[in-house]
Amino acid sequence: MPASPRTAPRRPAAAASTRRPLVPALLVALLCGCGAGQGDAATPADTPPATQAPDSQHAVAADGRPFTIEQVATFDEPWAMTFLPGDGRRLLVTEKRGALRLLHADGTIGRVDGVPAVDYGGQGGLGDVVLHPDFADNALVYISYAEAGEGDTRGAAVARARLQLDEDGGGRLDGLEVVWRQVPKVAGRGHYGHRIAFGPDGKLWISSGERQKFDPAQDMQANLGKVIRLDDDGGVPADNPFASQGGIAAQVWSLGHRNPLGLAFDAQGRLWEHEMGPAGGDELNLIERGENYGYPIVSNGDHYDGRPIPDHDTRPQFNAPEVTWNPVISPAGLVFYDGAAFPQWQGDAFIGALSGHALVRVEFDGDGAREAERFAMEDRIREVEQGPDGALWLLEDGEDGRLLRLRPVADVAGP
């Protein structure tokens, strides 16, 4: 299948010169937390401009946003990030071509060796990076990536290894072992998904895209188009909903997904996932045990060639999304906010928007959700995380993707 028409071309490096100047800040202050606490994509014209009016109780910048934006570093096609525990000064960042970087408070960027070979191209390459819940004791890091197969095939894989840092500002991954693979490997370079999360139960959760092959999302002999639940070593928990079927089916927690690029737990321990729809119909889903989310049988979008797909409300046997977007935003990255820097947003979720060139805030009411606010950004947002300082940290997509830190206006304005 050809690449999605929502895939954006690489941005030339010169494009950075057209951006709005960022608020200057010392890198040491950024990373130490001083102060208060290529995916599918539509064209920017497909997305309405931001934003709703901010809460009047909180200070806003001259552009009307309740935060300032500081550039911390630049990476080559960054895809994901995670903070190391302890002093909150070090940050692991994956680059899609296959490099794992370590950013320090003084702005230096080291390289972490021992990353497996990745099959780079299209939407494939090095993907997510997540720490084991007991990282302080076991130093285990989990990474996802596109792995080459026989012939012209490939699929996502998740591996774990122990992070060993060195005195030169870098390190290496030791004892790397693959704990999960997409089955089967197929042709094409789209819809890997491969987001990783650890749940409150200590289990390993993986989002697996359907690889632009449609039907595998409904096939229990394939783990494409599924949300996967495993033990931290890749074993299959006995209480998984389809464990009695054995084989690949035993890994599956939910099915009927397309291209899931966001996976996160809320404060109540519920798992949420977002995925890109086809021509329309991006989704935010509350993931429930053993449920079928319907793709490709239902979608709130249609096929790219114009063929209609029935909407979710025509097939009540499938679990419908809590939020849909049409025009699309091309969601990537998902975090639930619980920091002190933006107390008005505690309990909300933040989603990066690739084609939307935005940061999207989502509010929740019980099991329901709604888009509450959309903040226009200068570029495609690939990843969003909460830092130890309570700031929001964003990664832009592309070969000169910037790492940005969003702080409350009052923190920067001062007296």
Side-chain angles (χ1 to χ4, degrees):
M1 178 178 176
S4 158
R6 292 204 275 174
T7 300
R10 268 195 194 177
R11 178 183 67 246
S17 63
T18 66
R19 293 168 170 156
R20 170 181 50 78
L22 296 173
V23 176
L26 293 174
L27 283 170
V28 173
L30 292 180
L31 282 172
C32 75
C34 300
Q38 185 125 101
D40 292 86
T43 61
D46 290 335
T47 304
T51 72
Q52 298 180 17
D55 189 331
S56 61
Q57 296 181 11
H58 301 278
V60 297
D63 59 12
R65 293 181 289 197
F67 50 74
T68 59
I69 305 173
E70 302 158 326
Q71 178 175 332
V72 179
T74 302
F75 296 92
D76 180 16
E77 294 188 83
W79 208 92
M81 59 180 159
T82 192
F83 285 87
L84 295 182
D87 55 18
R89 299 183 180 207
R90 294 171 299 176
L91 180 66
L92 290 173
V93 178
T94 62
E95 294 180 332
K96 198 169 132 185
R97 292 178 182 272
L100 181 60
R101 304 295 185 182
L102 179 60
L103 175 67
H104 296 268
D106 62 1
T108 59
I109 301 175
R111 183 184 180 97
V112 178
D113 295 323
V115 177
V118 306
D119 189 287
Y120 171 80
Q123 296 171 22
L126 187 58
D128 213 353
V129 56
V130 172
L131 306 182
H132 190 282
D134 297 324
F135 174 84
D137 296 323
N138 60 29
L140 285 175
V141 173
Y142 289 70
I143 57 173
S144 67
Y145 58 101
E147 178 186 59
E150 295 183 1
D152 186 28
T153 66
R154 53 203 59 85
V158 173
R160 69 175 186 175
R162 284 179 171 80
L163 177 64
Q164 302 292 334
L165 301 180
D166 59 35
E167 296 180 354
D168 297 323
R172 65 172 294 102
L173 299 178
D174 285 341
L176 187 134
E177 58 176 339
V178 176
V179 298
W180 178 82
R181 288 183 167 98
Q182 282 184 329
V183 178
K185 285 184 167 64
V186 298
R189 287 187 162 94
H191 295 193
Y192 294 96
H194 64 33
R195 281 288 182 182
I196 311 170
F198 275 94
D201 58 1
K203 301 301 183 185
L204 173 65
W205 300 74
I206 305 166
S207 71
S208 178
E210 45 72 72
R211 300 285 281 107
Q212 295 179 308
K213 304 304 180 186
F214 306 100
D215 294 339
Q218 295 293 325
D219 181 2
M220 294 298 285
Q221 302 308 307
N223 58 19
L224 310 182
K226 313 293 195 302
V227 170
I228 304 300
R229 178 177 181 257
L230 301 173
D231 294 327
D232 65 351
D233 62 358
V236 177
D239 60 345
N240 273 5
F242 306 103
S244 63
Q245 297 184 25
I248 294 298
Q251 303 176 0
V252 175
W253 188 263
S254 65
L255 63 151
H257 301 289
R258 185 176 181 268
N259 190 20
L261 289 173
L263 194 68
F265 286 86
D266 65 16
Q268 291 73 49
R270 300 175 301 181
L271 180 61
W272 295 81
E273 168 263 10
H274 65 59
E275 59 191 76
M276 295 183 181
D282 291 346
E283 300 179 6
L284 175 66
N285 292 298
L286 175 60
I287 299 301
E288 298 179 288
R289 173 187 174 87
E291 289 295 321
N292 188 334
Y293 291 76
Y295 192 78
I297 300 170
V298 294
S299 172
N300 285 35
D302 292 323
H303 293 292
Y304 284 115
D305 61 9
R307 289 178 295 131
I309 305 174
D311 287 350
H312 280 83
D313 59 10
T314 68
R315 304 288 194 276
Q317 67 269 35
F318 296 119
N319 201 323
E322 304 306 321
V323 181
T324 61
W325 286 273
N326 197 347
V328 297
I329 62 170
S330 305
L334 173 65
V335 67
F336 282 87
Y337 186 80
D338 64 1
F342 298 99
Q344 71 273 28
W345 291 340
Q346 290 177 354
D348 294 351
F350 286 88
I351 298 172
L354 289 166
S355 66
H357 287 212
L359 178 66
V360 176
R361 181 171 68 88
V362 176
E363 290 182 343
F364 298 84
D365 182 8
D367 292 344
R370 69 176 186 91
E371 178 181 329
E373 207 161 12
R374 189 181 302 194
F375 301 107
M377 304 300 291
E378 301 254 334
D379 220 316
R380 293 158 55 88
I381 303 302
R382 167 62 67 181
E383 168 77 310
V384 53
E385 290 288 349
Q386 178 183 319
D389 56 358
L392 285 168
W393 294 69
L394 311 182
L395 281 174
E396 292 178 336
D397 197 37
E399 61 186 6
D400 59 342
R402 298 178 300 174
L403 172 64
L404 305 175
R405 183 191 188 207
L406 277 52
R407 290 201 298 160
V409 174
D411 285 1
V412 177

